[in-house]
Amino acid sequence: MTTADSPTATTTTATTATTATTAQDDTRTGDTMDTASYTATAPAAPPARTPAPDGERMRRWRMVLGADSAEATGCTLTGQDAAMDGALDALYGGGGKKPGGRSGGRSAGLGASAPSVARWLGDIRTYFPSSVVQVMQRDAIDRLGLSALLLEPEMLEAVEADVHLVGTLLSLNKAMPETTKETARAVVRKVVEDLEKRLESRTRATLTGALDRSARISRPRHRDIDWDRTIRANLKNYLTLPGADGEPDTGTVVPERLIGYGRASQSVKKDVILCIDQSGSMAASVVYASVFGAVLASMRTLATRLVVFDTAVVDLTDQLDDPVDVLFGTQLGGGTDINRALAYCQSKITRPADTVVVLISDLYEGGIRDEMLKRVAAMKASGVQFVTLLALSDEGAPAYDHEHAAALGALGAPAFACTPDLFPDIMAAAIEKRPLPIPDREAQP
């Protein structure tokens, strides 16, 4: 993955931002920002113009290269172009104060004050779509160190909420003043509710509708018919039907015997333990796992336990009815002791053959490696379905401990990254003891 501070990430972000709003390409190649106060430029209606091809090309190059290219391109931006350019230059401009105190010659930028940053946040929300705003906010937090400003209520009200912002807020939870906590909870709740709307229905449909494939019945309801087995069992009843009015003959299978699935009863069928690494690098995974934990806990056929850990282990099962409470019960950062967390989870297993343990961790173990692997081997030998997710997020390939991942794979517990959209299918396969739908098998350790 490309980090937010790299030139490639900067170029991609700015180009996407400008293209998404005005069909103009826009990049910035600098890697630092100064601390001068950001001055918002009032948006003006784009002037009516039909530039010649060469003029339009120069305008695009001027937007791509930034303010330092004004003389070289001979192009002066006006109206909304100038306002967009100022907002992008404040974040991605190449001048300004460098690390260590060296200053450049530009006067734009974001100052270390809430009002100037709030104005800038308002501007980018005016010029760019929500998806681009979220990327720019994340870049601003990473490049400027604006985390402290998120402790101010007016700042939180101005930002575009997303999973990454929630992760940042959770990492600041202990330092957050009381005047800000209610606003922060409102921001987190908005993100959680949006995620639940997106993920809950499919998760419930996939798992609630999961059928016990070992229990076949001969008088199934229509929705419980196993059509694949029914057709194969009735092939001997194939009939050829003559076509009408010169049409070719057709055929049909007469299903004398229907074969169906047996639906799971409403009693608890499986125990699920979500064991989540809450180190700082796992922030997005913690957010998604908390939402999924709440969804699973609402299903009567599953008994769900949620455990978070760093060097200590905290059981948050009693808070699963509200994922916001779960999130604020976590403490992002710190070390990692996977062995201790698995020891706790192992102590809670009472029905090994009906238990699914999901470890969500980048596997950078700070505890006893050999003991961790022995625990996984013991759980699998007892009949536990053990799933290791290196990440539960949309962020792409994560960083992880390849040696530990390979060791788990050798035990029959392959470690792989999983997107939120794939998670219901992973859980359904584990519950039904089918092979896991691992993405990009060739790339797995």
Side-chain angles (χ1 to χ4, degrees):
M1 294 178 64
T2 306
T3 62
D5 289 331
S6 69
T8 301
T10 298
T11 299
T12 302
T13 302
T15 301
T16 304
T18 308
T19 302
T21 51
T22 61
Q24 301 162 348
D25 296 323
D26 195 343
T27 61
R28 293 295 184 271
T29 57
D31 59 359
T32 57
M33 302 179 63
D34 68 16
T35 56
S37 176
Y38 172 70
T39 302
T41 303
R49 59 174 184 266
T50 54
D54 287 346
E56 175 64 11
R57 191 177 298 112
M58 284 297 100
R59 186 183 70 84
R60 289 171 177 267
W61 274 111
R62 166 63 184 80
M63 294 288 286
V64 167
L65 298 175
D68 293 341
S69 70
E71 184 175 348
T73 59
C75 180
T76 301
L77 299 178
T78 60
Q80 185 167 303
D81 284 351
M84 292 174 63
D85 186 67
L88 287 165
D89 199 55
L91 178 57
Y92 301 112
K97 183 173 288 187
K98 310 289 183 182
R102 294 175 290 117
S103 298
R106 55 187 289 277
S107 59
L110 297 179
S113 65
S116 62
V117 178
R119 285 196 300 271
W120 179 78
L121 288 168
D123 282 353
I124 64 174
R125 292 176 72 174
T126 298
Y127 306 134
F128 307 112
S130 176
S131 59
V132 175
V133 168
Q134 292 172 4
V135 174
M136 294 178 71
Q137 285 178 171
R138 190 158 67 248
D139 286 351
I141 292 170
D142 293 342
R143 295 163 65 86
L144 281 175
L146 295 181
S147 297
L149 291 178
L150 293 178
L151 301 179
E152 302 183 23
E154 61 269 24
M155 276 288 293
L156 287 179
E157 292 170 357
V159 295
E160 188 81 23
D162 69 343
V163 169
H164 302 283
L165 177 64
V166 170
T168 301
L169 292 177
L170 295 180
S171 67
L172 298 170
N173 185 25
K174 300 301 181 183
M176 196 174 290
E178 291 299 323
T179 55
T180 306
K181 283 189 175 180
E182 284 307 310
T183 304
R185 287 185 71 89
V187 171
V188 172
R189 186 168 298 282
K190 179 181 183 302
V191 173
V192 166
E193 289 175 351
D194 289 345
L195 289 178
E196 283 184 314
K197 289 177 183 177
R198 168 189 159 193
L199 302 172
E200 182 176 13
S201 60
R202 182 169 181 273
T203 301
R204 294 183 67 87
T206 301
L207 300 185
T208 303
L211 303 171
D212 182 1
R213 299 181 184 275
S214 64
R216 304 288 174 181
I217 56 178
S218 59
R219 291 185 176 181
R221 292 174 294 181
H222 184 271
R223 60 180 176 177
D224 293 339
I225 296 174
D226 182 342
W227 287 108
D228 182 59
R229 284 178 173 259
T230 296
I231 291 173
R232 280 187 283 151
N234 289 279
L235 285 176
K236 62 183 179 181
N237 301 320
Y238 181 84
L239 296 179
T240 300
L241 303 176
D245 299 328
E247 294 293 329
D249 293 347
T250 59
T252 185
V253 172
V254 179
E256 292 182 350
R257 183 167 65 95
L258 298 177
I259 300 176
Y261 305 121
R263 281 193 173 272
S265 68
Q266 292 303 307
S267 61
V268 172
K269 301 293 291 184
K270 294 289 182 179
D271 297 333
V272 176
I273 300 177
L274 299 178
C275 187
I276 309 170
D277 184 345
Q278 61 175 351
S279 57
S281 60
M282 302 295 294
S285 297
V286 170
V287 176
Y288 281 115
S290 298
V291 173
F292 278 119
V295 173
L296 297 179
S298 70
M299 299 172 62
R300 289 180 293 176
T301 53
L302 299 176
T304 304
R305 181 177 296 275
L306 189 143
V307 176
V308 298
F309 68 92
D310 42 33
T311 53
V313 180
V314 180
D315 193 326
L316 297 176
T317 303
D318 61 348
Q319 300 179 38
L320 271 175
D321 58 331
D322 188 346
V324 176
D325 287 340
V326 171
L327 289 171
F328 277 93
T330 63
Q331 182 175 341
L332 294 178
T336 306
D337 193 338
I338 303 173
N339 178 55
R340 175 178 290 187
L342 291 182
Y344 178 82
C345 294
Q346 193 175 23
S347 71
K348 298 300 180 182
I349 296 174
T350 58
R351 305 188 304 153
D354 294 315
T355 299
V356 179
V357 175
V358 183
L359 172 64
I360 305 174
S361 173
D362 54 17
L363 301 180
Y364 287 111
E365 170 67 317
I368 306 173
R369 174 186 184 274
D370 291 341
E371 287 296 317
M372 175 190 76
L373 296 176
K374 286 180 182 178
R375 291 190 189 283
V376 175
M379 282 188 274
K380 286 190 62 62
S382 68
V384 172
Q385 295 293 105
F386 195 91
V387 180
T388 307
L389 301 181
L390 301 170
L392 178 55
S393 70
D394 288 312
E395 296 182 326
Y400 64 94
D401 189 306
H402 290 255
E403 183 179 351
H404 289 163
L408 288 172
L411 295 175
F416 56 96
C418 174
T419 64
D421 289 337
L422 181 61
F423 184 75
D425 296 325
I426 296 291
M427 289 302 301
I431 288 170
E432 297 175 11
K433 298 185 177 181
R434 295 185 282 108
L436 301 179
I438 300 175
D440 299 326
R441 280 183 177 272
E442 303 78 9
Q444 301 305 321

